[in-house]
Amino acid sequence: MALGNHSTITKFLLLGLSANPYIQALLFVLFLGICLLTVMGNLILLLVIRADSHLHTPMYFFLSHLSFVDFCFSSVIVPKMLENFLSQRKTISVEGCLAQVFFVFVTARTETCLLSGMAYDHYAAICRPLLYGQIMGKQLYKHLVWGSWGLGFLDALINVLLAVNMVFCEAKIIHHYSCEMPSLLPLSCSDISRNLIAVLCSTLLHGLGTFLLVFLSYTLIISTILSISSTSGRSEAFTCSAHLTAVILYYGSALLRHLMPNSGSPIELIFSVQYTILTPMLNPLIYSLKNKEVKGERSLRDSRDLPQLHKGQARWNRPAFTEGRREPRAPKSSVQVTPQPRGACAETAHAPRCTRRPRACSDPQEPRDRETHMKTQAW
């Protein structure tokens, strides 16, 4: 390898965020918590999208890959940072540094392509709703996702292969907490013109190129929303606030970081922490809080098999299974019952009997007995 033939430097020194041991202890606890939240948040979001069939849509296919990219992004940078917080020797080997540069390139470039693909998906859903199924077909959004991964790996491979041939001089101090290509180029004493051209092309393609696609998509989205007359319609149409927030956080801090001179200033480190550590942690929170589908509200609303609560009672959306059918009648009795007139005497096999003693059924001797009784009382 050319690096070993022309240079005796085998390790770089990472200065990190602070040299104060007390501040380093506090930073270790802080970034350990951020790392755990990032891993848990992205893994939970991946499991939710995988388990819920209502989320098997193009937008959540993009979001699942974005969560995996954020998980990898945090896993590439944070563990080495935590190790340096507790170690006296804050060094990293040249091979390890180049490996970190490779994976930072892969994750960062892939994330920019995924964000631009998600912006196009929002454009098709809001500006072309009737043609959305034709525009965002299954083959198209899968090609966009895998194309994002392919461009990320290709960009990283080209830049790292050119960086392997660089010759590093006595200066081995990196004024940063991780290895990035802008931090390695000033340490080389060989010709880095090809490296600068490769970095410039990748920045223009994956940085400004994808940013222009996102900007164009949201310009058309906002113009479409403003053409809606009702305020409620505008609020319902603008469903991409979570993605817009993630775009602003990532692109804003990443572009400012790479446009600033590599001096290790506090502002430069803040922007680096923002897009490499904080954004992967915030993305699951942003998408889960802004989207009703992730919170489960859409699944309950759209599912016709689940009862919905209405004034304390369960009401089913589906019609009853007996709708359109005749209710079964009570079986007829085999015994024929002949109705009798009211007050009539019912004759049985044993003796005549009156259910009610009407005057027609009275004993004919009763008036005579009553008259004799009255005469007797008169006497």
Side-chain angles (χ1 to χ4, degrees), residues 49-60:
I49 295 174
R50 179 68 177 175
D52 193 350
S53 60
H54 293 87
L55 303 181
H56 294 172
T57 59
M59 183 183 70
Y60 288 99

Side-chain angles (χ1 to χ4, degrees), residues 88-138:
Q88 296 294 332
R89 300 175 57 187
K90 308 179 187 304
T91 59
I92 184 173
S93 63
V94 174
E95 292 79 9
C97 188
L98 292 177
Q100 193 175 55
V101 169
F102 176 82
F103 288 108
V104 167
F105 261 102
V106 171
T107 52
R109 296 330 189 223
T110 304
E111 183 158 356
T112 57
C113 294
L114 288 176
L115 290 175
S116 62
M118 294 175 72
Y120 179 73
D121 175 75
H122 286 297
Y123 158 76
I126 296 175
C127 301
R128 298 290 184 269
L130 299 180
L131 301 176
Y132 178 76
Q134 300 178 6
I135 296 175
M136 291 301 295
K138 187 175 182 180

